[in-house]
Amino acid sequence: MWSSLFHGLVVGAGLIIAIGAQNAFVLNQGLRREHGYLVAALCALCDWLLIALGVLGVGTLLAQQPALIAVARWGGALFLAWQAGLALRRAGAAQGLVGRGTTPRSRRVVVLTTLAVTLLNPQVYLDTLLLLGAIGALQPSPVGFMVGAALASCVWFFGLVGAAAWLAPRLASPGTWRLIDLGIAAMLGWVAWQLASGAMLA
């Protein structure tokens, strides 16, 4: 189970930690101290539900079809390698993550905005339902993998809010994101190789 949990943690972190509208929004709410932990909880909860649907739903269906398992294995390895390449590309043209001030908003508006930036992004479904579901199906412990991926989401979003004041000037630096993206590329490349070689399936 521990190896599956570790794989889930690494893959989940690699897919979640990137410059994007959701992370900018979460960081901004943390800086503004405006329902920050509620925003982090909603983002994490959405991820948990989608990851669970992916691993226990899509993943379970895949596990019953040996041909689909092979497709999931090689498709997942190729997709992770592609994501690693995108991270390398981002590292070559690094930008900072900057929180921007806005007028105060009600709890209802913040909740609706959080759900919008989280659930209206098609990439989230590709990452959670398909990719994590497919890789989870290949694990000795799919539940362990699911817990690891969910833990990565929880730590990242609550960390963004809790350490927003400390993180903001650092995440605004392109140099910091260059290092982060290089780390993401290395993690995803390693997992892609583990998946393709079959080492992750042991």
Side-chain angles (χ1 to χ4, degrees):
M1 175 179 175
W2 292 109
S3 66
S4 297
L5 189 147
F6 175 73
H7 287 141
L9 188 65
V10 170
V11 177
L15 294 175
I16 293 166
I17 302 172
I19 291 179
Q22 185 188 46
N23 284 333
F25 177 73
V26 174
L27 178 64
N28 189 57
Q29 295 306 116
L31 285 171
R32 292 164 53 82
R33 300 184 183 279
E34 184 182 75
H35 311 301
Y37 288 106
L38 174 61
V39 169
L42 285 173
C43 290
L45 179 60
C46 288
D47 272 3
W48 296 348
L49 292 174
L50 291 172
I51 290 168
L53 283 174
V55 174
L56 301 180
V58 175
T60 301
L61 292 176
L62 289 174
Q64 298 171 357
Q65 302 292 332
L68 291 180
I69 283 291
V71 171
R73 174 184 172 188
W74 292 105
L78 287 173
F79 184 80
L80 287 173
W82 178 61
Q83 289 290 319
L86 291 181
L88 285 175
R89 184 177 178 181
R90 290 195 304 267
Q95 299 177 350
L97 181 65
V98 179
R100 304 187 185 279
T102 59
T103 57
R105 290 167 292 193
S106 67
R107 181 188 296 264
R108 178 175 178 274
V109 170
V110 169
V111 167
L112 292 176
T113 304
T114 303
L115 294 175
V117 298
T118 301
L119 300 176
L120 296 182
N121 177 12
Q123 183 73 31
V124 73
Y125 300 102
L126 181 62
D127 289 347
T128 56
L129 290 178
L130 294 180
L131 183 61
L132 292 178
I135 296 176
L138 301 170
Q139 298 297 303
S141 174
V143 172
F145 179 86
M146 179 183 71
V147 170
L151 182 61
S153 174
C154 183
V155 170
W156 174 248
F157 289 125
F158 278 93
L160 270 182
V161 170
W166 183 84
L167 286 171
R170 292 161 177 81
L171 296 183
S173 166
T176 298
W177 277 99
R178 183 171 290 111
L179 293 176
I180 289 173
D181 282 324
L182 287 174
I184 289 172
M187 286 192 302
L188 294 182
W190 175 77
V191 174
W193 178 82
Q194 290 268 304
L195 195 56
S197 68
M200 185 181 281
L201 313 182

